[in-house]
């Protein structure tokens, strides 16, 4: 955070500093990547300039979302998958979205204690991001941070979501491939049947497969996936059994991720997903800008008059809203 402010201060004196920062990030310099993501999280005035400089260098990374209920082993699985990807020679970026501290606003699990095995690997970049109250399992600034890691030359970017339960489906709109983790003994067979879970998964992983009940979770999943309506030629999500703590099954997970990437490229689904992702990002930025231009609507004097007219029955809420919108 401190580094981000210092870069922002220098950038106001010239454009060369931002360009130099981007070039250093593309060369794999961890400090430069960290400063760029700090600028993103701080919503720096230089953010537009940074995004413009990064744009020509994005679109190459494979983006994998990792989601699931708390306790299924998301962090352990993420760390084990990083090990497998590094074994295959991939440069890996990890965005781990954590709940926000109610005191500092930062990520509660910012030290990523389960990923310390990769702390000294120069080809792995791990960044914790605080959700800061944003619902859906991600942080508000995750798409821009993803763009930084993409431009920095990461072959694969893993996004580990908060793990808040059934509402955590936003990752499906951000990742190329969504991996849903389940584990035995946590009611996951029932949870998987609820809205959202079956729709978002491209790959299902039953972790802690050495525990009793793992086969039952797989059978439940297989039965429910068979009920899903799929068009001819559509991807059929596989189910992989793993014991992430022991590193078992991660080779199969990596192989299935490669198969899904190949299917998306051949079917045109990858382009469709990325176009949809860009549309969502543009819309979010535009809506945020409109809110900023709108200002504090509750502080506007005409709102009281419009509210009184609605209460009196001389106007209706839609007509009143139209009057407010006329000022934009």
């Amino acid at each position: 955070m401190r580094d981000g402010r210092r870069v922002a201060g220098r950038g106001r004196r010239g454009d060369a500093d931002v360009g130099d920062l981007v070039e250093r990030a593309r060369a794999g310099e961890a400090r430069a990547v960290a400063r760029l993501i700090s600028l993103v999280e701080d919503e720096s005035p230089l953010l537009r300039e940074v995004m413009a400089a990064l744009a020509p260098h994005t679109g190459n990374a494979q983006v994998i979302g990792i989601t699931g209920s708390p306790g299924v082993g998301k962090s352990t699985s993420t760390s084990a998958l990083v090990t497998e990807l590094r074994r295959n020679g991939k440069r890996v970026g990890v965005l781990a979205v954590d709940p926000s501290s109610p005191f500092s606003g930062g990520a509660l699990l910012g030290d990523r204690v389960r990923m310390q095995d990769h702390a000294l690997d120069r080809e792995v970049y791990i960044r914790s991001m605080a959700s800061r109250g944003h619902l859906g399992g991600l942080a508000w600034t995750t798409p821009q941070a993803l763009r930084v890691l993409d431009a920095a030359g990461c072959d694969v970017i893993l996004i580990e979501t908060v793990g808040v339960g059934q509402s955590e489906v936003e990752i499906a709109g951000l990742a190329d491939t969504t991996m849903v983790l389940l584990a035995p003994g946590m009611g996951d067979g029932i949870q998987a049947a609820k809205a959202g879970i079956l729709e978002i998964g491209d790959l299902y992983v039953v972790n802690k497969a050495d525990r009793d009940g793992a086969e039952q979770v797989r059978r439940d999943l297989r039965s429910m996936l068979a009920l899903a309506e799929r068009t001819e030629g559509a991807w059929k999500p596989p189910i992989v059994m793993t014991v992430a703590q022991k590193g078992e099954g991660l080779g199969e997970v990596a192989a299935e991720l490669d198969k899904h990437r190949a299917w998306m490229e051949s079917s045109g689904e990858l382009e469709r997903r990325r176009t949809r992702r860009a549309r969502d990002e543009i819309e979010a930025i535009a809506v945020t800008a409109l809110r900023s231009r709108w200002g504090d609507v509750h502080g506007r004097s005409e709102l009281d008059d419009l509210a009184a007219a609605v209460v009196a029955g001389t106007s209706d809420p839609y007509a009143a809203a139209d009057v407010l919108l006329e000022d934009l």
Side-chain angles (χ1 to χ4, degrees):
M1 185 95 46
R2 186 169 56 253
D3 289 339
R5 285 197 296 267
R6 189 160 63 249
V7 170
R10 287 205 311 264
R12 293 189 188 97
R13 292 198 296 269
D15 297 336
D17 289 322
V18 169
D20 177 65
L21 189 63
V22 169
E23 287 304 314
R24 284 159 46 205
R26 292 188 60 217
E29 185 181 319
R31 283 178 59 85
V33 175
R35 291 185 181 188
L36 286 172
I37 295 181
S38 291
L39 290 176
V40 167
E41 291 190 297
D42 294 344
E43 298 183 31
S44 165
L46 290 177
L47 188 54
R48 289 175 178 269
E49 184 181 342
V50 170
M51 289 297 110
L54 293 175
H57 313 294
T58 59
N60 301 310
Q62 180 181 10
V63 183
I64 300 169
I66 301 175
T67 188
S69 302
V72 297
K74 289 193 301 298
S75 292
T76 304
S77 296
T78 300
S79 180
L81 184 54
V82 170
T83 299
E84 184 64 29
L85 293 169
R86 289 293 299 124
R87 189 177 291 122
N88 296 331
K90 303 287 183 66
R91 176 184 283 185
V92 184
V94 179
L95 292 176
V97 184
D98 287 321
S100 298
S101 165
F103 302 104
S104 68
L108 283 176
L109 303 179
D111 54 352
R112 307 314 304 174
V113 293
R114 294 180 179 86
M115 299 187 198
Q116 291 306 302
D117 291 344
H118 310 290
L120 300 180
D121 190 339
R122 295 178 62 87
E123 297 299 308
V124 177
Y125 185 87
I126 301 171
R127 176 69 174 235
S128 287
M129 300 184 69
S131 60
R132 300 187 182 181
H134 183 66
L135 301 178
L138 300 176
W140 182 259
T141 52
T142 304
Q144 287 76 42
L146 172 64
R147 198 179 297 277
V148 172
L149 291 181
D150 189 359
C154 290
D155 300 304
V156 180
I157 301 172
L158 306 178
I159 306 175
E160 180 194 334
T161 66
V162 169
V164 293
Q166 299 164 42
S167 65
E168 192 183 330
V169 296
E170 190 174 307
I171 185 63
L174 186 62
D176 298 330
T177 301
T178 300
M179 189 170 88
V180 178
L181 267 65
L182 303 98
M186 302 184 66
D188 281 327
I190 302 299
Q191 295 296 330
K194 295 186 177 179
I197 298 299
L198 290 180
E199 286 81 359
I200 70 170
D202 298 303
L203 168 63
Y204 290 89
V205 174
V206 180
N207 190 33
K208 305 181 183 180
D210 53 347
R211 295 187 179 182
D212 292 340
E215 281 297 331
Q216 184 61 49
V217 174
R218 174 157 66 175
R219 283 194 293 270
D220 290 344
L221 259 178
R222 187 174 293 159
S223 297
M224 288 180 285
L225 287 171
L227 297 175
E229 295 184 5
R230 303 187 189 280
T231 59
E232 185 177 351
W235 173 258
K236 296 180 180 179
I239 303 172
V240 179
M241 309 292 280
T242 67
V243 184
Q245 197 167 26
K246 300 178 182 178
E248 297 176 4
L250 274 302
E252 186 178 354
V253 169
E256 292 295 346
L257 291 172
D258 287 341
K259 288 179 184 177
H260 186 245
R261 173 65 180 255
W263 173 81
M264 287 193 297
E265 289 178 341
S266 63
S267 66
E269 180 64 17
L270 182 61
E271 184 70 20
R272 286 191 291 271
R273 290 191 182 193
R274 291 189 169 182
T275 300
R276 183 170 64 243
R277 186 165 77 206
R279 288 183 58 176
D280 291 343
E281 187 177 2
I282 294 168
E283 180 181 346
I285 292 171
V287 169
T288 300
L290 284 173
R291 285 174 179 166
S292 177
R293 288 172 57 189
W294 181 267
D296 183 11
V297 67
H298 289 284
R300 299 176 63 173
S301 59
E302 65 266 35
L303 183 58
D304 291 333
D305 297 333
L306 292 169
V310 171
V311 171
T314 58
S315 183
D316 64 84
Y318 289 94
D322 288 339
V323 173
L324 285 179
L325 289 172
E326 287 175 359
D327 294 337
L328 283 179

